Amino acid sequence: MLAGCTALVLAVTGSARSAPRSAPDRQVLPANDGWAASGTGTTGGAAADPAHVYTVGTWDQFKAALTDGGTAPRIIRVEGTIDADGPSCASFTAPGYDFATYLKTYDPAVWGRGRNLDGEPDDSPEGLRRASQAEQEKYVKAFVPANTTIVGIGKDAGFKGASLQIEHADNVIVRNLSFESPLDCFPQWDPTDTADGNWNSQYDSVDLYGGTHVWMDHDTFTDGDHPDSSLPYYYGRIYEQHDGEMDIVKGSDYVTASWNVFENHDKTILVGNSDSDSTAATDRGHLKVTFHHNLFSNLVERAPRVRFGQVDSYDNHFVAGDGYGYSYGIGKESRLVAEHNAFTLPDGAQDGTILKKWNDSPLTADDNDVNGVPTDLIAVHNAQAPGEILRSGAGWTPALRTKADPPQAVPGIVDHRAGAGHLC
Ligand code: CA
Ligand code: CA
């Protein structure tokens, strides 16, 4: 098996790199491979000494490996699927919390729709829900320190229900791991979120919160056994127990996401999470992210939704399914470049919905194919949504790319090589 894997690595990358490659757990981001290659580049834990190489198979072992050894470079090798969702939702429930009472108390017919639940006291149903959620949060969140590589070993490594936090940490690599979305046991009802209200949840599978020089490579993100279609409805609204698959917020910078699969999810990736003045102060000039050779499959929206950032998205394959909303969300002060991508839309889906205008920010969208046909994404959007005209010209040209493939080749290249299980 090792010989076959070595041959595959050489076949795939031999033309782009002349140096021999090390084992996946010691590999670093190649030069010029996206925004994470800028400045110091991204090496993760490649320099770890033997005392800081950990092989883990449980959530407790994983968390211990994250906190051992300060900021010395570390490599954490993940074997098999780590169950990070705890024994049960009941195990996190605060004494006195009762969901039936919660539903009765905040029923819109009783509570109304004009105010949210934020000021509710600690001994109220909402206060007890908050306390329960805090217990779950302590369990499912794991904080990744600087100079770390987390790598799955073999073809079936990953996490079920984990929420990795790359919070104000620099130089992190996450590769060859499957993430099944965390399920929030205690979604919050917000009567003021849209006219109908919404259930909102915490926990992204991976959260970049002020994280810098991060390489997400050959990972798979999915709702797995609990898609939104399996979730109940309360107050006529879906009881949404998921948040994002990978959110990049709060001044995060220099991120490369390559060869990942993002699938079977609603709100997939935020780059920037608010238009507010305080968020602008943190995010403006940052949120520089490259997405290349990713498969975005059967998603509703946000692949990604961008605010402020200079995002380069090239050579990705987008496959829309039922309930498709949009792929790229064009938000405040964003400067998206989307080139050489392939879109596969089902019958009846309009190519003008690939772009969604949230804000008047110009973008570059050249050399993209829709169902194999070269398509000017901005022109078709503007023709189909004349009330939401988008402007062309992001005002910058990505310099940090390795090799760009033509869009007609992208599905064949990406579909069978992206995601976890394709490194050895
Ligand atoms: Ca469990
Ligand atoms: Ca989020």
Side-chain angles (χ1 to χ4, degrees):
M1 175 179 152
L2 193 60
C5 292
T6 305
L8 180 65
V9 167
L10 291 173
V12 171
T13 63
S15 61
R17 289 171 52 83
S18 51
R21 303 197 84 167
S22 49
D25 50 3
R26 295 273 176 185
Q27 284 169 8
V28 303
L29 178 70
N32 296 315
D33 190 354
W35 274 118
S38 69
T40 54
T42 300
T43 59
D49 62 33
H52 295 95
V53 177
Y54 308 84
T55 300
V56 302
T58 70
W59 192 229
D60 284 345
Q61 290 170 355
F62 177 71
K63 284 186 149 179
L66 290 172
T67 53
D68 189 52
T71 57
R74 81 192 62 215
I75 295 169
I76 304 177
R77 307 165 80 248
V78 174
E79 282 188 332
T81 299
I82 290 181
D83 183 348
D85 63 4
S88 66
C89 286
S91 67
F92 304 121
T93 302
Y97 177 68
D98 175 59
F99 185 51
T101 304
Y102 188 93
L103 284 177
K104 259 187 233 166
T105 306
Y106 304 112
D107 187 319
V110 176
W111 178 265
R113 294 185 182 275
R115 55 189 170 127
N116 66 30
L117 277 49
D118 287 352
E120 283 282 273
D122 288 348
D123 61 353
S124 68
E126 167 60 11
L128 295 168
R129 185 208 62 80
R130 275 198 310 260
S132 304
Q133 187 168 63
E135 282 303 303
Q136 187 186 9
E137 179 170 333
K138 273 191 277 185
Y139 189 87
V140 304
K141 284 190 173 178
F143 291 82
V144 181
N147 308 317
T148 295
T149 292
I150 304 169
V151 58
I153 302 306
K155 296 190 178 302
D156 63 350
F159 297 94
K160 181 170 178 280
S163 183
L164 299 194
Q165 305 294 306
I166 303 173
E167 184 174 323
H168 302 298
D170 183 65
N171 193 27
V172 173
I173 296 174
V174 179
R175 302 182 80 196
N176 197 36
L177 290 161
S178 282
F179 292 90
E180 184 177 309
S181 305
L183 265 187
D184 192 331
C185 294
F186 311 100
Q188 184 189 39
W189 174 245
D190 183 354
T192 68
D193 181 351
T194 78
D196 297 320
N198 266 323
W199 294 98
N200 291 316
S201 279
Q202 307 291 317
Y203 320 128
D204 309 312
S205 286
V206 177
D207 206 0
L208 279 67
Y209 190 102
T212 51
H213 294 105
V214 178
W215 183 28
M216 305 293 305
D217 180 67
H218 283 95
D219 299 310
T220 294
F221 298 83
T222 179
D223 288 347
D225 291 337
H226 46 84
D228 279 359
S229 59
S230 69
L231 300 178
Y233 280 66
Y234 299 108
Y235 309 152
R237 303 296 284 167
I238 188 169
Y239 190 60
E240 180 57 81
Q241 291 181 266
H242 303 122
D243 195 22
E245 290 193 328
M246 181 178 78
D247 282 357
I248 302 170
V249 302
K250 301 293 179 193
S252 291
D253 219 355
Y254 306 121
V255 177
T256 297
S258 55
W259 299 99
N260 302 289
V261 173
F262 298 92
E263 65 182 7
N264 304 337
H265 195 83
D266 184 350
K267 296 170 179 174
T268 308
I269 302 170
L270 280 181
V271 178
N273 64 347
S274 170
D275 290 353
S276 73
D277 288 346
S278 62
T279 303
T282 305
D283 288 348
R284 193 174 279 137
H286 302 289
L287 300 178
K288 292 188 274 293
V289 184
T290 299
F291 294 92
H292 75 81
H293 296 93
N294 300 287
L295 174 62
F296 294 96
S297 179
N298 193 31
L299 306 169
V300 179
E301 59 181 296
R302 304 184 181 172
R305 175 174 175 173
V306 187
R307 298 173 170 97
F308 301 104
Q310 279 178 279
V311 169
D312 182 21
S313 176
Y314 74 94
D315 281 343
N316 302 287
H317 186 201
F318 299 78
V319 181
D322 291 342
Y324 176 62
Y326 68 86
S327 294
Y328 295 115
I330 309 304
K332 181 172 181 169
E333 296 181 35
S334 62
R335 294 292 182 270
L336 172 70
V337 175
E339 296 179 321
H340 320 304
N341 299 289
F343 296 84
T344 302
L345 303 187
D347 287 348
Q350 287 198 301
D351 49 11
T353 64
I354 289 169
L355 301 176
K356 167 70 181 169
K357 179 179 176 178
W358 294 102
N359 203 282
D360 182 26
S361 302
L363 70 148
T364 298
D366 291 332
D367 191 32
N368 297 294
D369 276 11
V370 179
N371 293 340
V373 178
T375 301
D376 182 334
L377 300 181
I378 297 173
V380 295
H381 172 273
N382 289 350
Q384 293 167 29
E388 300 178 12
I389 296 297
L390 284 163
R391 291 182 291 135
S392 179
W396 67 288
T397 301
L400 294 166
R401 289 181 183 173
T402 49
K403 172 177 170 287
D405 295 302
Q408 56 271 29
V410 164
I413 292 170
V414 167
D415 289 10
H416 300 292
R417 290 194 215 158
H422 293 95
L423 290 179
C424 301

